[in-house]
Amino acid sequence: MKPALVVPPIYAPIPPAIHPNHAAIDARTAAWADSFDIGSKEWRSRLVTQDIGVFAARILPEGEEEVVSILSDFVIWLFGVDDGYCEEGALGSKPGELAAALQRLLRIAQNPEAPMLTDDPLAESLRDLTLRLSRCATPLQVGRWVDTLREYFFAVVWEAENRAASRVPDLNDYTLMRLYDGATSVVQPFLEIGHGYELQPYERDSRAVRAAAEMTSFITTWDNDIYSHHKESRGTHYYLNNIRVLEHEYGLSRDEALTKAIAQRDRAMCLFMSLRAKLEDEGSPQVRQYLRSLAAFIRATQDWSVSSLRYTTPDDPAALSATFTDTPTDSSPEPLDIPSISWWWDLVPAVRTEALRPA
């Protein structure tokens, strides 16, 4: 078995923050997972030690506590789907069967009153999440959340097809699908709901705001791949990780692929900071709040990843730096050579590189 890949301090220009009631939120999520019997008892006993509530509390450090709790429960539910169905479960290499199972779950999110899957823990817990979210969110926000859940399900079926074929995807396809299969877009509706506002469709669907949301997904999933590489590379279906994809795409060593992955996320992070500054100059108060929440999501992923037992894996320790750096390894204003996302760089003039002013 290869020694652990040494992950250096990664660029983190966004300050950390956490909801003051994170401990209570974390405890409630553990109790919620037990009450719905999500996964096996052994699986739950592991997952409840992984600070899921702390992660949600970092994403929404100033959010309404009820919404933070729903988000925390939803994150543990997502891990139930990912670990139980997709990545480690029996359906993880059976795309057709997985698609059918996920479509049934989607129906519960669309219509929680539907009399189906009433003895399925994942379905029953999703029913509970949908009903609770409906009390906090507008119908438009709930509908958007269901749409993002559909995107996530579609992408994890793609993952299953790659596992079934024992195939490492090319970089462009992997980047595109990682915007969705990392379950980042399904969290983004909570950023509005947790602060009690609703972006106007012309704001959320504008190219610039959509790009900022996609950059958030790219940075958080690239970080997740880097921090979870040690855990994932010990598995039997290690095909879907940016380190593996970059090794395969460019014929790199493992260390070279890590260096390139960090450079890619750093260049995207610099672009995000510039685009955020531009949009904060031009946008409404709601857009500015949304951008602050996207930034908090990025930093939350970093802080949680270097501290959660899910990725530090003390029984087989990962070599993760617990600190960060304020200097990017790549601050080039040129687009990454990834066609599915290179359009982001059209939105910010190359000359605009000043640091983000304090929020």
Side-chain angles (χ1 to χ4, degrees):
M1 186 176 292
K2 290 183 178 181
L5 185 65
V6 179
V7 177
I10 290 180
Y11 177 48
I14 300 161
I18 191 168
H19 196 283
N21 293 332
H22 59 87
I25 292 165
D26 195 55
R28 287 199 297 268
T29 287
W32 181 83
D34 271 335
S35 70
F36 282 97
D37 202 27
I38 298 174
S40 68
K41 186 175 182 179
E42 179 185 2
W43 178 86
R44 289 196 306 278
S45 69
R46 289 200 317 270
L47 206 65
V48 298
T49 67
Q50 295 174 4
D51 296 333
I52 305 300
V54 174
F55 182 37
R58 290 189 183 279
I59 295 171
L60 285 172
E62 298 177 349
E64 291 291 333
E65 186 170 343
E66 182 179 3
V67 179
V68 183
S69 282
I70 297 171
L71 173 59
S72 179
D73 295 350
F74 180 49
V75 171
I76 206 169
W77 183 88
L78 286 167
F79 281 126
V81 172
D82 192 50
D83 293 350
Y85 274 14
C86 305
E87 190 170 324
E88 301 172 13
L91 301 181
S93 299
K94 300 176 180 178
E97 293 180 40
L98 178 61
L102 294 177
Q103 189 63 40
R104 288 190 285 270
L105 288 177
L106 186 65
R107 192 59 174 171
I108 299 298
Q110 291 172 316
N111 297 92
E113 70 279 4
M116 54 186 290
L117 301 178
T118 55
D119 59 351
D120 183 303
L122 282 174
E124 284 297 283
S125 51
L126 179 60
R127 199 185 313 273
D128 175 74
L129 288 167
T130 304
L131 292 171
R132 289 161 61 200
L133 192 63
S134 297
R135 293 194 289 268
C136 300
T138 69
L140 183 63
Q141 288 172 328
V142 175
R144 179 167 171 262
W145 173 68
V146 172
D147 287 342
T148 59
L149 197 59
R150 182 183 295 107
E151 291 175 342
Y152 165 65
F153 286 169
F154 183 84
V156 297
V157 170
W158 172 85
E159 284 188 326
E161 198 275 330
N162 280 274
R163 290 192 196 95
S166 301
R167 179 172 58 236
V168 178
D170 68 51
L171 176 60
N172 189 55
D173 278 354
Y174 183 72
T175 302
L176 175 60
M177 299 306 284
R178 200 74 178 102
L179 299 178
Y180 307 104
D181 68 18
T184 52
S185 61
V186 294
V187 169
Q188 289 172 5
F190 286 86
L191 306 184
E192 297 173 50
I193 299 165
H195 287 278
Y197 70 93
E198 183 175 82
L199 283 179
Q200 294 298 310
Y202 74 86
E203 294 175 315
R204 188 190 305 108
D205 295 335
S206 70
R207 279 170 54 85
V209 174
R210 182 163 60 88
E214 287 190 2
M215 289 176 204
T216 300
S217 291
F218 175 81
I219 296 164
T220 55
T221 56
W222 241 236
D223 284 349
N224 179 259
D225 279 4
I226 291 166
Y227 290 123
S228 69
H229 172 271
H230 182 72
K231 171 181 176 289
E232 292 180 12
S233 64
R234 266 49 178 172
T236 57
H237 296 288
Y238 171 54
Y239 306 108
L240 300 164
N241 180 283
N242 60 18
I243 306 297
R244 181 72 187 274
V245 169
L246 290 168
E247 287 177 308
H248 185 264
E249 183 90 1
Y250 296 111
L252 302 177
S253 69
R254 190 179 63 159
D255 288 332
E256 290 170 337
L258 172 63
T259 298
K260 190 169 186 68
I262 292 173
Q264 289 171 331
R265 64 83 60 201
D266 283 0
R267 194 185 299 191
M269 176 68 90
C270 291
L271 181 68
F272 173 83
M273 299 298 280
S274 291
L275 179 60
R276 178 183 169 187
K278 179 177 185 291
L279 289 173
E280 287 197 333
D281 285 346
E282 302 168 355
S284 67
Q286 291 79 12
V287 167
R288 292 196 289 272
Q289 176 59 62
Y290 187 63
L291 292 163
R292 286 195 293 272
S293 296
L294 289 175
F297 189 5
I298 291 171
R299 183 58 195 253
T301 300
Q302 291 184 286
D303 286 323
W304 180 64
S305 296
V306 300
S307 60
S308 173
L309 297 182
R310 184 173 181 86
Y311 302 121
T312 59
T313 57
D315 294 337
D316 177 19
L320 309 180
S321 173
T323 61
F324 303 101
T325 178
D326 57 5
T327 305
T329 64
D330 185 344
S331 58
S332 169
E334 296 301 314
L336 288 173
D337 187 20
I338 305 175
S340 59
I341 63 171
S342 61
W343 66 274
W344 296 341
W345 276 262
D346 296 336
L347 301 171
V348 180
V351 296
R352 174 147 195 168
T353 58
E354 71 266 25
L356 176 70
R357 61 179 185 272

